[in-house]
Amino acid sequence: MRLNFAWQIIIGTVAIQVAMVAVLMFSGISQVQQNQSQMLERFAEQQGRLLSSALTPGLAYADPAMLQDLLDLVADDSHVLYAVVLDAQDQPMASVGISPEAIPESGDRIRTAPGQIEILRDIELAGQPLGTLAVGYSTDAIDALSADLLQRNVLLAMGVLVLSMVAAIVFSLVITRRLRLLNQGAKALQVGRLDHRIPMRSNDEFGDLARTFNDVAANLGTTQTTLEQQNQQLNRSVARLESMLGGANAILWEANPATHEWEFVAGDTRHLLGFPARNLGRGELRARHIHPSDLPRVQNAARESRNQSRTVDYRFAHRDGQWIWLRDILSWATDGDGRESLRGLTLDITAHRRATDALAESENRYRDVVDHISEVIFRTDADGRWTLLNPAWEHLTGFSVEETLGRPMCDFVAPEDTEDARSFCATLLEGGSHAQSEEIRLRTREGDIRWVSVYASARFNERGEVTATFGTMTDISDRKQAEDEIRRLAFFDGLTHLPNRTLLHDRLSQTLGNTERSHLHGALLFIDLDNFKDINDTLGHAVGDDLLRQVAERMQDSVREADTLARLGGDEFVVILNDLHPDPARAATQAEAVGRKLIDLLRDPFELAGQKRHVTPSIGATLFSGRSLGVEEILKQADLAMYRAKNAGRNTVRFYDPDLHRAVEARFELESELRHALDQDHFSVHYQPQVDASGAVMGAEILLRWMHETRGAISPAEFIPVAEQTGLIVPIGRKVMRAACEQLAAWQHQPAFRDLTLSVNVSARQFRHRHFVRDLAAILDETGAPGERLKLELTESMLLENVETVIAHIEELRTLGIEFSLDDFGTGYSSLAYLKRLPLAQLKIDQSFVRDVLDDPNDAAIAQMVVNLAHTLDLDVIAEGVENDDQRAFLFGLGCRHFQGYLYGHPDTLAVLEAQVLRQAGNRHPAAHR
């Protein structure tokens, strides 16, 4: 509860008066009681002294009667309660009144009790104790007088208290009225009413206070106007300071040195530091954002700046997560009250620091480059004497940098190039060229020669005079050596040392020119070693290289000096024959004779890795005369002829046939058209039914067909090999696989076809493709085709290479339900060990055995073997190429129960296959179609 000032004065005054009255009353009462006690004691002492004197004779004579008479006289006094005289042996000799049971002991001279006082006094004569007097007096009269006095004092105190309260009330009313006037004036000042004045009604202190208050209000009005003007100027100054700090990307601050808490901040801390000033006011908050490695330096700088200003750079964690570099310029200041403060200017020096770091890094990189680069970096004065060299000079020549500086370059040049070096230096130093280069030889400390490429440029002053040169030296000794080697290798084979393709082209071009001038014929023999790859694979490449060297040595000895024996690469050699007969037939005979000679020359075995090996060549030959044909065309003709020799059984000579050339051209044309057909989706698929023992269709083999725009239908036997060789079989096979899966997906919702299977031929190149399994799984997933209705037909050629990869792919695909059939079984080189390991479901008897199974006992035996092998391995077996009932009956007798061939249907469209299936279903269940 809040009390106003009047009540505070009243309560305070009354409380003081009450306290004072209480103290006075307590003091008065205590004084009265003390006076009363002292008065009684003096009275008792005086009476005791008188009685003792009166009783001394009676005690001296031991006269009890005398003593009793004296006591009786004392008893007449109403204030005496009792009196007793004791002899020296404390025996009563006389008494009056009613004496107490216990007379005060000799040690208690005066004993007081409520309403009475007792005195014990020893009586002596000449120093001899005669006895003792004990007297008791009543104090009632004195007590009544003291009580009356105390009552008067209380009444007086109460009166004084009442008068004090009345005076306090009057005083408080007068004082609070004047205080209210002062309070009103203060509130007016508080709300800014500086024109308010307090009325002055007295000349006392309140009047002086009112006058002072009015003067203050008047002065405040004047001061406020001045402050407003100064505040405007200050705001403009602050705005200019903020603008300057913002432009400088800096903040100005003042902090408590003990806590480092900001007491003043100018500048945009949000822009500079990423945080508003209120979030960084406390020192510990800012310390959290300072890099831990830099914080001790910042703290030390703050302490040391007390004696002298300090500058410290440090990293600060910006709000965007980046470290920025700041610079604090710190100093201490003391205000007029002696209070110290820490002042600082914080600048963003991130860009400057990065530039400085980049410059230092650049200088370090420059120094690292200069000190560690393999090239010599040098500088000379205007006289051509070295003034700067890097350590690469010592590594290059063996001469130290110290002993080289001050000497000209020519002192270290080999004698053979001294003149060139002097000319090089003179041209630069005389200003004849701003920059030039030269290749010269230097002499090393050991006397060796090192080739260097020197590049130097001149520096000119404002008068055009050369003041210095700068340059580099690069060690090109290895390059010079390599160039010499390249000159040798550019035209000769490194293994056999025979002319290589480049020199062969040059020699052949020269021969064409000679035949044009002489009208004679020339011939080119293209030689390829048969089965060279087998030797490389079985005995190793080192042995293969040895064979090539031996072959080259044998043929080199049999070639005329006017002719050229060259190695094209690999196991291919070429012989250019010059000056053959003008008649083409005679010239061909001469060329063939050389070819036969080479065959005979290579007939003898070669010693390879401790073994004797026979090697045969296939030789293609072509004649030429004049420049009607170019070098490449002649080489192509000989290459084609060589393939004729291989097709003819190898180890023979064949001449170029124009018809063969046309076939090759047709093959390239077919490849181009094949790519076009793939891009334009000109391929289609046909279906050939596969039946069981009863002739019911159980599935079909899906076969690729190509209807050419101009040539019509092209046989798969013609375009499939080309697709295999070019790699186009992979995208083509992917299209066929998708067509098969889409059809199986469509059939699974049709009862008549859902149990059919589709067999798809997969080439070796397609199956070994690294993405084959992944692509097929994706197709099954995309189309929704049942994997268990898809059968992939593999050829035996797949087992010749990477059989482990084949098995791994089969195992992966079997997890999708796919089954596998080995196509054309018996035509290749299947290993029974591999066949046992392969997770196959079916063997397929090739049509080449089925065609003559009735006439050729060998084919019949092979067919029987395949069926028996399938049964032994618990595999299904199917025969393809069945064209008549006799073949079917024979195969059935062997134990074959599945068939495919023209007897059951030609490859045709999907509609034909589905119609055949529906007819068979109708024949089996005629009632279902009524």
Side-chain angles (χ1 to χ4, degrees):
M1 182 178 66
R2 181 176 179 271
L3 297 176
N4 59 30
F5 188 66
W7 279 106
Q8 292 179 25
I9 292 176
I10 295 171
I11 294 174
T13 303
V14 171
I16 292 172
Q17 293 298 326
V18 169
M20 291 175 62
V21 170
V23 171
L24 289 174
M25 288 180 66
F26 176 77
S27 177
I29 293 171
S30 298
Q31 190 65 37
V32 169
Q33 290 177 346
Q34 184 178 2
N35 293 338
Q36 178 185 354
S37 176
Q38 292 176 354
M39 184 179 67
L40 288 175
E41 289 178 358
R42 285 195 298 271
F43 171 77
E45 182 67 23
Q46 293 173 359
Q47 291 297 323
R49 207 180 280 123
L50 291 175
L51 285 176
S52 296
S53 299
L55 294 175
T56 299
L59 286 174
Y61 294 109
D63 186 357
M66 183 184 297
L67 294 173
Q68 186 64 45
D69 291 338
L70 288 174
L71 291 181
D72 290 338
L73 291 175
V74 174
D76 293 337
D77 188 353
S78 61
H79 295 95
V80 177
L81 297 177
Y82 72 91
V84 179
V85 179
L86 302 177
D87 59 13
Q89 287 76 31
D90 293 331
Q91 295 297 319
M93 296 182 68
S95 65
V96 292
I98 302 174
S99 60
E101 296 180 0
I103 296 174
E105 297 179 359
S106 60
D108 296 333
R109 296 301 177 179
I110 299 175
R111 185 173 66 180
T112 59
Q116 68 178 9
I117 182 171
E118 295 174 297
I119 300 172
L120 180 66
R121 188 171 182 84
D122 294 330
I123 301 174
E124 296 178 351
L125 179 63
Q128 294 295 321
L130 299 178
T132 303
L133 172 65
V135 183
Y137 295 95
S138 173
T139 61
D140 291 339
I142 296 175
D143 289 341
L145 181 61
S146 296
D148 182 63
L149 181 60
L150 180 61
Q151 182 177 7
R152 291 179 183 180
N153 287 339
V154 170
L155 291 176
L156 179 61
M158 293 300 294
V160 171
L161 181 60
V162 171
L163 290 175
S164 298
M165 292 178 62
V166 172
I169 293 172
V170 173
F171 177 75
S172 65
L173 293 176
V174 174
I175 293 300
T176 53
R177 180 176 179 277
R178 295 182 179 184
L179 290 177
R180 276 196 294 272
L181 293 176
L182 293 176
N183 186 42
Q184 291 173 359
K187 290 184 177 179
L189 286 182
Q190 185 179 7
V191 299
R193 289 170 49 200
L194 300 180
D195 57 345
H196 181 80
R197 298 293 182 268
I198 299 175
M200 296 178 292
R201 298 175 181 174
S202 64
N203 293 323
D204 56 7
E205 287 79 0
F206 279 100
D208 294 339
L209 184 59
R211 279 189 293 272
T212 302
F213 186 90
N214 292 338
D215 292 340
V216 169
N219 291 333
L220 284 177
T222 304
T223 303
Q224 183 179 23
T225 302
T226 304
L227 286 176
E228 289 177 352
Q229 295 174 353
Q230 293 177 349
N231 190 43
Q232 292 176 356
Q233 295 177 355
L234 180 60
N235 288 338
R236 288 193 292 269
S237 299
V238 171
R240 285 196 297 271
L241 178 61
E242 292 281 357
S243 177
M244 292 170 62
L245 292 174
N249 205 12
I251 59 172
L252 189 66
W253 51 267
E254 185 175 87
N256 186 318
T259 63
H260 292 276
E261 183 174 354
W262 278 346
E263 297 175 346
F264 167 80
V265 179
D268 189 356
T269 59
R270 188 185 297 274
H271 173 71
L272 179 65
L273 307 177
F275 301 93
R278 64 177 180 275
N279 290 359
L280 297 175
R282 291 189 299 172
E284 62 269 19
L285 295 179
R286 294 195 303 279
R288 293 176 188 172
H289 292 271
I290 297 176
H291 196 283
S293 301
D294 300 337
L295 183 58
R297 291 191 297 103
V298 176
Q299 294 171 339
N300 290 337
R303 287 190 296 268
E304 295 171 357
S305 63
R306 183 169 191 170
N307 301 321
Q308 185 179 0
S309 62
R310 289 285 184 269
T311 299
V312 60
D313 296 347
Y314 59 93
R315 287 161 289 182
F316 187 88
H318 196 275
R319 189 169 189 171
D320 60 7
Q322 301 292 324
W323 287 105
I324 62 174
W325 276 97
L326 300 178
R327 172 173 293 169
D328 280 359
I329 303 174
L330 306 172
S331 63
W332 284 54
T334 305
D335 59 16
D337 298 331
R339 177 179 167 275
E340 291 181 324
S341 62
L342 176 64
R343 293 176 179 175
L345 175 64
T346 299
L347 303 170
D348 183 356
I349 61 168
T350 303
H352 169 73
R353 190 68 182 231
R354 288 174 179 169
T356 303
D357 292 344
L359 178 60
E361 178 65 21
S362 177
E363 291 176 351
N364 292 334
R365 285 199 300 267
Y366 168 76
R367 180 52 54 192
D368 289 341
V369 170
V370 170
D371 291 345
H372 299 94
I373 193 172
S374 60
E375 296 180 345
V376 177
I377 299 176
F378 65 85
R379 179 185 185 275
T380 73
D381 57 17
D383 298 325
R385 298 182 182 278
W386 273 323
T387 59
L388 170 69
L389 281 168
N390 67 335
W393 168 259
E394 185 171 351
H395 178 73
L396 175 65
T397 65
F399 294 102
S400 67
V401 174
E402 291 76 13
E403 66 180 306
T404 306
L405 293 178
R407 299 173 62 182
M409 180 179 68
C410 294
D411 287 357
F412 303 91
V413 176
E416 299 88 343
D417 295 335
T418 300
E419 289 303 321
D420 292 338
R422 287 175 178 168
S423 175
F424 174 82
C425 294
T427 302
L428 278 176
L429 296 174
E430 294 171 3
S433 174
H434 284 270
Q436 62 178 13
S437 60
E438 183 65 84
E439 293 181 356
I440 59 176
R441 283 164 285 191
L442 293 180
R443 172 178 50 83
T444 68
R445 181 183 289 277
E446 289 76 17
D448 298 331
I449 298 298
R450 303 294 293 179
W451 275 96
V452 294
S453 175
V454 183
Y455 174 82
S457 61
R459 173 177 290 179
F460 298 85
N461 59 19
E462 62 276 4
R463 295 187 300 275
E465 300 171 343
V466 175
T467 59
T469 65
F470 298 86
T472 60
M473 287 184 184
T474 304
D475 186 358
I476 60 171
S477 302
D478 293 339
R479 194 195 80 190
K480 285 291 186 180
Q481 184 178 357
E483 286 176 353
D484 294 339
E485 182 69 12
I486 288 171
R487 291 189 187 95
R488 186 182 67 81
L489 297 178
F491 301 104
F492 293 90
D493 175 54
L495 179 64
T496 63
H497 305 296
L498 296 175
N500 60 12
R501 180 183 291 271
T502 302
L503 186 55
L504 170 67
H505 279 225
D506 181 68
R507 296 275 179 88
L508 184 55
S509 181
Q510 292 179 18
T511 302
L512 290 175
N514 292 337
T515 58
E516 186 176 29
R517 289 188 299 271
S518 64
H519 303 290
L520 299 176
H521 278 87
L524 190 138
L525 304 182
F526 197 105
I527 306 165
D528 184 88
L529 302 182
D530 300 328
N531 299 321
F532 176 75
K533 183 177 182 298
D534 294 340
I535 295 177
N536 252 351
D537 292 344
T538 57
L539 300 180
H541 292 280
V543 175
D545 291 345
D546 184 31
L547 172 61
L548 294 175
R549 281 191 291 267
Q550 294 186 44
V551 169
E553 290 173 1
R554 287 192 189 184
M555 291 193 296
Q556 183 72 37
D557 294 338
S558 65
V559 174
R560 297 180 304 174
E561 194 171 321
D563 300 332
T564 298
L565 171 63
R567 181 185 176 216
L568 279 183
D571 61 336
E572 296 175 343
F573 297 87
V574 172
V575 176
I576 301 175
L577 301 178
N578 291 293
D579 302 328
L580 300 182
H581 201 278
D583 178 55
R586 298 283 298 275
T589 301
Q590 292 175 314
E592 185 176 10
V594 174
R596 297 293 179 189
K597 180 181 177 181
L598 293 175
I599 292 175
D600 292 339
L601 190 66
L602 300 179
R603 194 183 307 277
D604 294 334
F606 292 87
E607 189 73 25
L608 300 174
Q611 304 178 18
K612 292 186 180 296
R613 291 281 183 146
H614 289 273
V615 176
T616 60
S618 294
I619 302 177
T622 186
L623 298 177
F624 56 85
S625 181
R627 293 188 177 276
S628 59
L629 297 175
V631 172
E632 290 295 339
E633 185 63 27
I634 293 173
L635 286 171
K636 184 187 294 184
Q637 289 181 1
D639 188 21
L640 293 173
M642 183 271 293
Y643 279 106
R644 285 193 65 202
K646 285 189 177 295
N647 292 333
R650 307 184 182 188
N651 198 30
T652 187
V653 180
R654 287 291 183 270
F655 277 84
Y656 169 72
D657 184 356
D659 293 337
L660 176 61
H661 181 68
R662 284 192 291 272
V664 172
E665 293 295 333
R667 187 260 185 201
F668 284 114
E669 182 180 358
L670 181 63
E671 178 184 345
S672 176
E673 292 176 342
L674 191 62
R675 294 182 185 277
H676 177 73
L678 179 61
D679 293 338
Q680 301 298 319
D681 198 16
H682 289 167
F683 294 104
S684 60
V685 293
H686 281 193
Y687 300 83
Q688 186 173 28
Q690 295 176 336
V691 301
D692 58 14
S694 65
V697 177
M698 62 179 186
E701 180 180 3
I702 189 168
L703 301 168
L704 185 66
R705 293 294 181 264
W706 179 16
M707 183 62 67
H708 195 275
E709 295 175 337
T710 57
R711 295 169 55 188
I714 298 179
S715 170
E718 182 178 352
F719 70 81
I720 289 297
V722 176
E724 286 273 9
Q725 295 170 9
T726 59
L728 294 174
I729 193 65
V730 174
I732 291 175
R734 193 178 295 120
K735 285 181 176 290
V736 175
M737 197 69 69
R738 180 171 290 276
C741 291
E742 289 175 348
Q743 190 55 55
L744 287 173
W747 277 349
Q748 68 179 337
H749 302 297
Q750 305 178 46
F753 310 116
R754 76 175 110 200
D755 295 329
L756 297 181
T757 62
L758 282 181
S759 298
V760 181
N761 282 292
V762 180
S763 71
R765 187 164 187 171
Q766 180 184 2
F767 192 77
R768 285 195 292 265
H769 192 274
R770 65 180 185 275
H771 296 317
F772 176 75
V773 175
R774 184 194 68 184
D775 292 345
L776 180 52
I779 292 174
L780 287 172
D781 184 61
E782 292 170 6
T783 60
E788 64 274 8
R789 315 309 301 171
L790 179 64
K791 184 182 296 181
L792 301 185
E793 296 188 0
L794 310 179
T795 60
E796 286 187 86
S797 61
M798 290 187 188
L799 306 181
L800 297 180
E801 296 180 12
N802 297 326
V803 66
E804 299 298 335
T805 302
V806 173
I807 294 174
H809 282 188
I810 292 177
E811 292 290 359
E812 287 186 69
L813 293 172
R814 285 187 67 200
T815 61
L816 303 177
I818 299 173
E819 292 188 341
F820 292 86
S821 172
L822 190 60
D823 194 11
D824 302 336
F825 185 71
T827 62
Y829 305 93
S830 294
S831 167
L832 295 181
Y834 287 153
L835 187 63
K836 180 180 179 182
R837 292 178 57 195
L838 290 174
L840 300 172
Q842 185 182 70
L843 294 180
K844 198 169 191 179
I845 303 174
D846 187 68
Q847 60 183 348
S848 62
F849 304 131
V850 174
R851 184 184 307 114
D852 299 324
V853 71
L854 299 177
D855 303 321
D856 190 337
N858 292 328
D859 289 346
I862 292 174
Q864 178 68 68
M865 181 272 297
V866 173
V867 173
N868 293 340
L869 180 61
H871 290 167
T872 301
L873 297 177
D874 196 23
L875 300 177
D876 184 19
V877 63
I878 184 172
E880 67 174 346
V882 179
E883 298 181 356
N884 53 61
D885 290 327
D886 293 336
Q887 293 173 339
R888 187 260 179 198
F890 181 82
L891 293 168
F892 187 84
L894 295 178
C896 180
R897 297 295 181 264
H898 297 149
F899 308 96
Q900 176 183 343
Y902 291 165
L903 178 62
Y904 302 101
H906 289 262
D908 215 325
T909 63
L910 175 65
V912 173
L913 174 66
E914 290 181 340
Q916 182 177 352
V917 173
L918 292 175
R919 284 197 303 273
Q920 290 179 352
N923 292 335
R924 288 197 302 268
H925 308 287
H929 299 283
R930 290 177 185 162

